[in-house]
Amino acid sequence: MSTVIVGEDGLARCPWGLSAPDYVAYHDEEWGRPVRDDEGLYEKLCLEAFQSGLSWLTILRKRDAFRAAFHGFDPEKVASFGPGDVERLMGDASIVRNRAKIEAAVANARAALDLPGGLAATAWKYADPGAPEHADMADMPAYTDGSKALAKELKKHGFTFVGPTTAYALMQACGLVDDHLTGCHRRGAYR
């Protein structure tokens, strides 16, 4: 099923929001809520990159471990990571151990600190509050012109492991677009 589903609490949700118990709170309280600070956006960018090729549920369940391993996703702290830190993280079974993704998190922390105006200001230039509504998950794009432009700008400033699809997932998660389905009780909640 790819249209909204009414839960036991009587609330209509995007179908993924009821597909696992861990998703209910994430869907209702976090996904699509505007994130306007650099640290929050950096965390989401890292987690979206780590999710690439995996289930978001895997990342959500490991999020506390990621936060511990990456010092709360403080870009200044992560930017100071060296080869020994990468090896430490490669040995940490509580996170996703992918060298390219770990090295991207470090490189992206450094790029975020050097980004003129900051990560939040840069990302929010590509917000699309007028994005079309979707009644069915099958109509949801994997990326948009805005996410392609955001990915291109981030790459121009030294970010890695951030293509249009990852950029779009970031935009969805951080409220730059409202991709809750038509009829979902969270659709339009943050406008």
Side-chain angles (χ1 to χ4, degrees):
M1 179 164 265
S2 60
T3 60
V4 293
I5 300 172
V6 176
E8 291 179 10
D9 57 4
L11 296 175
R13 290 181 178 85
C14 303
W16 65 266
L18 286 171
S19 63
D22 296 10
Y23 275 152
V24 176
Y26 180 71
H27 173 274
D28 288 1
E29 300 166 16
E30 190 172 349
W31 193 77
R33 182 181 298 266
V35 176
R36 297 188 180 273
D37 64 290
D38 288 347
E39 195 168 293
L41 274 155
Y42 170 69
E43 175 181 355
K44 296 279 183 158
L45 179 63
C46 288
L47 294 176
E48 293 296 347
F50 274 102
Q51 184 271 329
S52 181
L54 302 172
S55 159
W56 179 249
L57 192 56
T58 298
I59 303 304
L60 192 59
R61 289 178 175 162
K62 291 179 175 275
R63 184 162 55 172
D64 288 338
F66 275 110
R67 286 176 173 162
F70 286 92
H71 300 289
F73 288 102
D74 179 331
E76 288 188 25
K77 291 179 181 175
V78 178
S80 71
F81 283 12
D85 295 293
V86 172
E87 292 309 316
R88 172 183 56 83
L89 293 169
M90 285 297 295
D92 186 344
S94 69
I95 66 167
V96 173
R97 296 176 289 180
N98 177 298
R99 186 174 301 279
K101 293 176 182 183
I102 291 168
E103 289 174 346
V106 176
N108 291 346
R110 294 173 184 152
L113 293 176
D114 291 338
L115 191 61
L119 181 55
T122 300
W124 278 91
K125 289 191 308 188
Y126 298 95
D128 188 1
E133 292 188 31
H134 304 285
D136 192 288
M137 293 298 295
D139 298 330
M140 194 80 57
Y143 58 86
T144 62
D145 289 343
S147 74
K148 288 193 284 189
L150 173 58
K152 183 178 179 180
E153 180 162 353
L154 292 175
K155 286 180 181 182
K156 178 177 84 174
H157 290 284
F159 285 78
T160 62
F161 222 99
V162 57
T165 301
T166 298
Y168 194 63
L170 176 73
M171 293 171 76
Q172 292 173 306
C174 294
L176 281 76
V177 295
D178 184 353
D179 270 352
H180 285 283
L181 294 177
T182 304
C184 175
H185 80 280
R186 300 312 299 166
R187 175 81 194 169
Y190 305 118
R191 290 187 186 163

